[in-house]
Amino acid sequence: MTALLSVERLSAGYGELRVLEDVSLEVGAGEVVCLLGANGAGKTTTLMAITGVIGARGGDIVFAGGSLAGVAAHHRVERGIALAPEGRQVFQDCTVEENLLLGAFGRRGRGRRRARLDEVFDLFPRLAERRRQQAGLMSGGEQQMLAIGRALMTDPRLLMLDEPSLGLSPKVALSVYEAVARVAATGLSILLVEQNTQTALSIATRGYVLVHGRVVAAGASAELRDAPVLREAFLGGGSDRLGATPRRAPDEVTAPLLSIRGVEKHFGGVPAIQSFSLSLHRGEFCGLIGPNGAGKTTLMNLLTGYMRPSAGEIVFDGQAIVGLRPYQCCRLGIARTFQIVRPFPEMSVLDNVVTGWMFAGDAASRRRPEADVRAECVALLELVGLGGRLGSPSGSLTLGEKKRLELARALATRPRLLLLDEVLGGLSDAEIVQMCAVLRQVHARGITILMIEHVIRALVRLVDRLVVLNFGRNLRDGPPAEVLADPMVVEAYLGRPLAVDDARHPMTDQLHD
Amino acid sequence: MSAPRPSGSGIAVLGAVVTLGALAVIPFNPPLLSDWLFRIAMLVMLAVSWNMMASAGMISLGHSAFWGLGGYCCALAANVLGVGFGMSFLAAAVVGAATGLVLALVTGRLRGVFFAVATLALSEGLRIAGLMLPDLTGGAAGLFLAPGARPPANLLYEVAVVAAALSVAITWLLFRTRLRFAVRAMRENEDAAQMLGINPLLFRALISAIAGAMAATAGGFNLWYSGYIAPDIAFTLHFAILAQIAVIIGGINTLAGPVIGAFLIIALSEVTRILVGSREGYSLLIYGVLLVAAISFLPNGLYGLLTHRRMRPTESA
């Protein structure tokens, strides 16, 4: 049997960022294959390269016997490649039926669109009930079904699904997967990208594991399910180069620096953070981990005034900070970096950091002579290793340099609490080593740090404490080694296989047939 | 504006020479030249004002609101209160500043195209209000300045040149302070700017009030120049758009850009007037082509071309 899709030594990336290196994978006709990996491993990039939304830097993609090199994305749809994208991306203002008909916009899907519409409604009865409903008003699970239905309307030979269970509760995720199983039963080839690995492996026949843009393991689902490589891909293995240094002991005697009590945040009716409590002592270096969509960045936004909690209180150094604006939080001594870096691109590197100094802290320190401020900021840039780029426009920096610039800019606000949102994400191994060394120095200066991170193998060598967030709740809190060994945490990251779901579901038999 | 310091002294000397030159020429009463200088001065004020707001990320499409309010302020102050030429500008500046302040507070977190549409709505709303309040504004028939209130033409020209120079100087002084860091940070990424302790509302209100005062003052000069005002003249978008074109061609977010642009626009309008007569369409066509060319090929305007600066940031240390 020749493969329907064959990706051969594919390299791809965005701008300066290299994401995929030599990725090879195959999907046979009628086969369900899953592509697994942690956040930032390159899963979505692989799909984007197959759809042609981003170009390949090297290697080839062969579909149904023909190379896709130089074939535009919309022509690839005509050849039979369909994608239900990450985050669903349904057309919010259109009805369900309009969304589906838009899926059949191309020549390939147009002819049989009425018949296919009925087929999609057969597969997803829920969508038939809601055909006149505005798509944006539906639940996440229904929108996911709609995204899959819309992809099916193109009459594809290969259906690609990007994290169909993302942000869904376990029960809803299960119903989405049942639908995927029904689609698979029609004989369509499926390439499935997931973080919820156990569920994905229970539906796929084969799988590939991506780490840092490379395929590190491939095999039948049964082999992969218990493979150590899978656990390592998500929760990290050892890396001796990261080292560890003696730390300052956190001050547990005085009142905590940050105390979060019973905080809730709902978007519409959907809870993002639920009765979350956490206390941070002065001098602590705390890691915050959790799967995609667990509410980590929402928590950062609540702590810095970008969002207001629906309930609960947040006390920083004895002062309630709920209702304060971000600039007020900054002046109290809270600094943050952003998951998607936000340097001021037209300003020089040094001016970015000087801007960080000028408006933070008390009035006296804000009014220091500019020459003094510049000298302090140069020292901060030297600390993060950007001493040689003072005059460069920050827009011209590499991603790793931008992340270091953001750290220096946050430090320029003279914080007592530093919130880091994935500062290691997207960095090369060498850059991660360098960043970790900088973070240790920052911590040694007495700054309390709360760090969201997916690069867990580096994180565990930095922090004294690890908090796991799952579905907006504080799932586990303790020393890193204990937390990572907890089966609950492993499950939060890797998910559960469909088969062990408590209610024995009619689908389960079919899935393991 | 992003780089006032390195070339600051050079520009200051050049600006002083141009200003003094203009002041020295006017008393000799060359009518055409004085007239040009006056129109350039007015456009400089309006363009500097527009550029100041743009530099903080506030793209205004309704600068005519300030311009028209300034005109009405001067007319009413002179006719109703009997206030003289000089003091009427104070009234215009105060009302312009207050309008700018209210605009910043009311638009709150509106950005980009939403803010732009809000300013356009403000200008149109004021025009309609002007038409519907004939007791105050004279309605569609307009208001004439009381005879004898108008100052000698040369005095008006001289004061306008000084005011234009002042508007540039005020901008220069303002952007020597840490304000220049705040506005650039807000323009480039407001979310990140807030996390550095920058209160965007404060700086937006400040910039908007100062820019409003400048534009209203410019409108006041227009009233004293023409002696007549009506809603459709006061709140016409024509001058507001000319000011934007001047800034974009001259160099947005630079100190000298609006001035260079204003000279160019007035020169162009004279050239087209001589070449194609009074057919309005042609001059607009030429402005349009120039605008597209400037946006496409001169991202930093003529100022960028003259100083060979392509996105070079503020020199450090």
Side-chain angles (χ1 to χ4, degrees), chain A residues 265-272 274:
Chain A
K265 179 68 189 174
H266 306 274
F267 296 113
V270 186
Q274 305 178 58

Side-chain angles (χ1 to χ4, degrees), chain A residues 311-371:
Chain A
E313 61 174 346
I314 305 170
V315 176
F316 177 72
D317 200 17
Q319 186 180 347
I321 60 169
V322 167
L324 294 190
R325 307 288 315 278
Y327 75 92
Q328 292 167 317
C329 294
C330 163
R331 289 188 186 169
L332 286 177
I334 303 176
R336 86 179 268 193
T337 65
F338 292 90
Q339 185 180 1
I340 313 292
V341 285
R342 297 176 181 181
F344 306 125
E346 289 179 22
M347 281 195 202
S348 70
V349 165
L350 180 56
D351 277 356
N352 260 275
V353 181
V354 169
T355 307
W357 188 289
M358 290 266 176
F359 302 90
D362 55 47
S365 69
R366 287 204 291 271
R367 302 229 181 298
R368 280 178 65 180
E370 203 174 307

Side-chain angles (χ1 to χ4, degrees), chain A residues 212-442:
Chain A
H212 268 316
R214 293 173 189 275
V215 174
V216 296
S221 296
E223 294 164 26
L224 280 179
R225 192 165 294 152
D226 302 311
V229 67
L230 192 56
R231 196 164 171 264
E232 239 165 67
F234 281 82
L235 297 176
S239 168
D240 295 332
R241 283 198 300 153
L242 293 167
T245 43
R247 308 188 172 92
R248 292 166 64 104
D251 168 11
E252 292 174 7
V253 183
T254 54
L257 180 64
L258 176 75
S259 144
I260 307 169
R261 289 180 217 129
V263 162
E264 310 251 341
K265 179 68 189 174
H266 306 274
F267 296 113
V270 186
I273 298 287
Q274 305 178 58
S275 54
F276 183 86
S277 297
L278 175 71
S279 276
L280 275 189
H281 290 283
R282 279 162 231 273
E284 249 184 319
F285 198 149
C286 180
L288 181 65
I289 65 171
N292 245 350
K296 303 184 297 295
T297 297
T298 301
L299 188 64
M300 288 272 165
N301 286 335
L302 293 174
L303 292 179
T304 48
Y306 285 89
M307 289 176 186
R308 207 190 159 105
S310 314
E313 61 174 346
I314 305 170
V315 176
F316 177 72
D317 200 17
Q319 186 180 347
I321 60 169
V322 167
L324 294 190
R325 307 288 315 278
Y327 75 92
Q328 292 167 317
C329 294
C330 163
R331 289 188 186 169
L332 286 177
I334 303 176
R336 86 179 268 193
T337 65
F338 292 90
Q339 185 180 1
I340 313 292
V341 285
R342 297 176 181 181
F344 306 125
E346 289 179 22
M347 281 195 202
S348 70
V349 165
L350 180 56
D351 277 356
N352 260 275
V353 181
V354 169
T355 307
W357 188 289
M358 290 266 176
F359 302 90
D362 55 47
S365 69
R366 287 204 291 271
R367 302 229 181 298
R368 280 178 65 180
E370 203 174 307
D372 285 8
V373 170
R374 283 184 182 272
E376 297 271 5
C377 293
V378 169
L380 284 174
L381 283 165
E382 278 165 1
L383 171 74
V384 302
L386 286 176
R389 312 276 330 238
L390 300 180
S392 315
S394 61
S396 71
L397 300 183
T398 64
L399 180 72
E401 288 170 330
K402 283 177 184 160
K403 295 227 164 184
R404 281 184 271 151
L405 171 60
E406 264 209 359
L407 178 62
R409 196 175 64 182
L411 290 174
T413 66
R414 280 101 63 215
R416 284 176 293 160
L417 173 64
L418 179 60
L419 307 172
L420 303 172
D421 198 348
E422 297 197 28
V423 279
L424 303 179
L427 301 191
S428 70
D429 286 347
E431 286 173 323
I432 288 176
V433 170
Q434 190 184 13
M435 182 63 102
C436 286
V438 173
L439 291 177
R440 276 196 196 96
Q441 289 188 52
V442 170

Side-chain angles (χ1 to χ4, degrees), chain A residues 42-53:
Chain A
K43 305 183 299 295
T44 297
T45 306
T46 307
L47 297 190
M48 288 299 156
I50 296 171
T51 56
V53 172

